[in-house]
Amino acid sequence: MHPGPDDDPAAAGGAAAPRERGPAARPPVTAHAEAAGRPAGRDHPYRPRNWALWRRPPVLIVFMLGLEAAAIAVLAISFVHSAVPGNRDWINFGILAGGATVHIQLTQRQEERRRNRTKKVLIDLTAVWTFSAALILPVPLTLLVVFLIRLQHWFIARRPAHNFIFSSITHGLAGAVAHLTYGALGPHLLGQPGWGGFWHEAGTIVLTGVVYEAIQILYVGGALALGLSSEPTLRNVLGSPADNLLEAVTIGLGAVTAILLAVVPPMVVVMAVATVVFNRLAELDQLQNDVRTDPKTGILNMRGWSESAERALERTARSGDQLALLMVDLDHFKWINDTYGHPAGDDVLRTVAQTLDEVTRPSDLVGRFGGEEFLVLLPDIDEEATWDAAERIRTAIAKLHIVTTDKRGDPATIADRTTSIGVARHPRHGDNLDRLLQSADAAVYLAKENGRDQVCFAPDSLTPPAAR
């Protein structure tokens, strides 16, 4: 994960290594300032005293300022004790700085579109250059590469100043500590003839990449977790599995760039072109994911779920295996919105979606049907296991304590929520997806009529004759 929320980590959920968040609006001049006759510049959002950071929870302020102070101390010590850059170091620096600039300038519109479309962690792919700098350059030049990259991001994105400072320090610290780790595990082959001890070198680079990422997880993930108004989850703090895979690939490309720089420097031009293409592929992947994903909960929307469910149903029909469909309906959800407000209702939906992901199998399909209803498709499962799975979901949701805010913005906790779950099995209650959905919906109504907070199987009387 690269560091770097360029938005407010508390208001938008935090910071992340090229994990960034959607654009923050520029605050208008306050009426108080106008009434006092002060010029607009006096209330400029980039002035330290006007930073939104000071309006965040005290624990987040202490966390960010404390880690920044520690990072500056480590960077200062590393800088002082670093070797003086030689001519080859400056040449390598120029190549990396040039490649990073080409990458950033040619992809700035793509990055802005990706940033505007996501409220989650965003990977900006600049680790290709910062991680390679950490491997091949001394600390002063590594920090200079980070500075040049962040400076260009500043003029492109114009995020809040305190977030820019925090994420830039995090980038610099990750690069410096990675460099020190790599140097401590020497001797190394980069820049030297021959490839003896290849596996030792590969292991060293992998370990350095883990350290590089761990620094950012500590800083960025911590700020995200402390800045969230609701209870943090792995997904909204560290990003999705796809986000982390993209970050790992980016760090791997950084290692390849360092090797090319040490062996055949002109080939770094190829990496500059590759990063532009890779950036475009990341945008296309995000677009495809957005089409299939529910923006409020992060799980499959009805379109994405239906496409996957149809394929699973076809496989089941061919193999003769068993399959079940669960419709999960949150009881009295309107009461939550009316009592605590719609933001609290959204927090409940997100937490329930995360819980469904955690208590189901990797092969199960979890999606949002609409409103307060969720769908879970359970392939290759018998009737008794279906009942156990439905009960496990009902119990897990009942045990949730969801940290959120009320209508006034004060802290609140929502707990003891019940769920009505309808179950339909293939082919007993339907031989296609539409009939299974109808049967599961009927089972939900049966559960509600019987008093809610229970699991009900669809009545056989609703099953079409051809499917009985």
Side-chain angles (χ1 to χ4, degrees), residues 5-131:
D6 285 323
D7 296 312
D8 192 327
R19 307 179 170 218
E20 307 194 12
R21 295 206 173 243
R26 187 185 301 271
V29 178
T30 62
H32 177 73
E34 292 177 351
R38 296 197 303 268
R42 293 290 298 275
D43 283 325
H44 198 285
Y46 297 145
R47 290 180 177 273
R49 68 178 183 180
N50 297 325
W51 288 354
L53 173 66
W54 312 123
R55 298 189 294 274
R56 301 305 158 210
V59 64
L60 176 62
I61 297 174
V62 172
F63 176 86
M64 293 182 69
L65 296 182
L67 288 189
E68 284 179 354
I72 291 172
V74 172
L75 290 175
I77 295 172
S78 302
F79 191 94
V80 169
H81 291 87
S82 175
V84 177
N87 292 335
R88 178 65 183 271
D89 294 325
W90 282 105
I91 293 173
N92 289 338
F93 162 77
I95 294 174
L96 287 178
T101 299
V102 170
H103 171 201
I104 293 171
Q105 296 303 320
L106 292 182
T107 62
Q108 58 177 295
R109 291 186 179 275
Q110 295 172 11
E111 283 301 299
E112 199 60 29
R113 289 195 296 266
R114 291 179 64 216
R115 185 181 291 109
N116 291 340
R117 280 195 298 268
T118 185
K119 296 180 181 179
K120 304 183 298 180
V121 169
L122 175 69
I123 309 300
D124 70 6
L125 311 184
T126 55
V128 171
W129 311 106
T130 54
F131 184 65

Side-chain angles (χ1 to χ4, degrees), residues 355-356 359 390-401:
T355 301
L356 291 175
V359 301
E391 277 294 323
R392 185 165 58 251
I393 290 172
R394 186 189 65 82
T395 303
I397 294 175
K399 291 180 178 178
L400 290 176
H401 287 72

Side-chain angles (χ1 to χ4, degrees), residues 90-442:
W90 282 105
I91 293 173
N92 289 338
F93 162 77
I95 294 174
L96 287 178
T101 299
V102 170
H103 171 201
I104 293 171
Q105 296 303 320
L106 292 182
T107 62
Q108 58 177 295
R109 291 186 179 275
Q110 295 172 11
E111 283 301 299
E112 199 60 29
R113 289 195 296 266
R114 291 179 64 216
R115 185 181 291 109
N116 291 340
R117 280 195 298 268
T118 185
K119 296 180 181 179
K120 304 183 298 180
V121 169
L122 175 69
I123 309 300
D124 70 6
L125 311 184
T126 55
V128 171
W129 311 106
T130 54
F131 184 65
S132 58
L135 294 178
I136 206 84
L137 298 178
V139 170
L141 294 186
T142 298
L143 296 181
L144 190 54
V145 169
V146 171
F147 172 77
L148 291 176
I149 290 174
R150 297 302 299 162
L151 184 63
Q152 292 181 74
H153 276 187
W154 166 256
F155 286 108
I156 292 172
R158 290 287 184 176
R159 300 304 185 215
H162 66 280
N163 276 45
F164 173 79
I165 292 173
F166 180 79
S167 56
S168 298
I169 290 175
T170 305
H171 276 283
L173 180 66
V177 174
H179 175 84
L180 295 175
T181 301
Y182 184 69
L185 298 174
H188 301 294
L189 305 174
L190 294 185
Q192 301 176 9
W195 285 97
F198 170 80
W199 292 111
H200 174 270
E201 182 74 355
T204 299
I205 292 176
V206 169
L207 181 58
T208 303
V210 170
V211 171
Y212 179 87
E213 180 71 2
I215 293 294
Q216 299 184 67
I217 288 176
L218 172 63
Y219 275 65
V220 177
L224 280 166
L226 293 174
L228 290 172
S229 59
S230 59
E231 186 175 358
T233 64
L234 288 177
R235 179 179 287 271
N236 58 28
V237 170
L238 300 182
S240 67
D243 293 329
N244 287 278
L245 177 60
L246 179 60
E247 182 72 15
V249 171
T250 305
I251 292 175
L253 290 176
V256 172
T257 302
I259 294 171
L260 290 176
L261 193 59
V263 181
V264 278
M267 290 299 294
V268 174
V269 175
V270 176
M271 292 306 301
V273 175
T275 54
V276 174
V277 174
F278 194 54
N279 217 99
R280 178 60 176 170
L281 293 176
E283 183 185 21
L284 292 175
D285 182 70
Q286 185 190 45
L287 286 171
Q288 292 175 340
N289 186 63
D290 288 347
V291 171
R292 294 168 49 85
T293 303
D294 174 53
K296 189 167 291 186
T297 61
I299 61 176
L300 292 173
N301 59 19
M302 194 56 194
R303 174 177 177 174
W305 184 89
S306 297
E307 291 174 352
S308 299
E310 288 284 7
R311 290 193 293 269
L313 199 58
E314 291 174 2
R315 290 192 298 269
T316 297
R318 289 195 302 268
S319 64
D321 293 332
Q322 303 182 69
L323 177 146
L325 171 63
L326 309 183
M327 184 174 289
V328 181
D329 190 295
L330 304 181
D331 295 331
H332 303 298
F333 184 75
K334 184 177 182 298
W335 176 85
I336 297 176
N337 285 332
D338 293 343
T339 304
Y340 295 96
H342 287 85
D346 292 346
D347 286 337
V348 171
L349 293 175
R350 280 190 289 269
T351 305
V352 169
Q354 177 72 20
T355 301
L356 291 175
D357 263 341
E358 292 172 353
V359 301
T360 53
R361 304 170 300 177
S363 59
D364 298 337
L365 287 174
V366 179
R368 186 180 178 204
F369 187 55
E372 66 272 23
E373 291 182 318
F374 297 86
L375 296 171
V376 183
L377 192 76
L378 307 171
D380 191 20
I381 190 169
D382 60 28
E383 187 164 335
E384 183 177 356
T386 300
W387 178 270
D388 292 340
E391 277 294 323
R392 185 165 58 251
I393 290 172
R394 186 189 65 82
T395 303
I397 294 175
K399 291 180 178 178
L400 290 176
H401 287 72
I402 302 166
V403 179
T404 182
T405 55
D406 60 20
K407 291 180 177 179
R408 296 181 297 275
D410 297 327
T413 301
I414 299 176
D416 302 320
R417 305 312 306 162
T418 62
T419 307
S420 299
I421 301 178
V423 182
R425 289 186 53 77
H426 173 276
R428 175 182 166 191
H429 300 117
D431 56 3
N432 60 45
L433 191 57
D434 287 339
R435 288 172 179 167
L436 286 173
L437 286 170
Q438 292 172 2
S439 297
D441 187 55

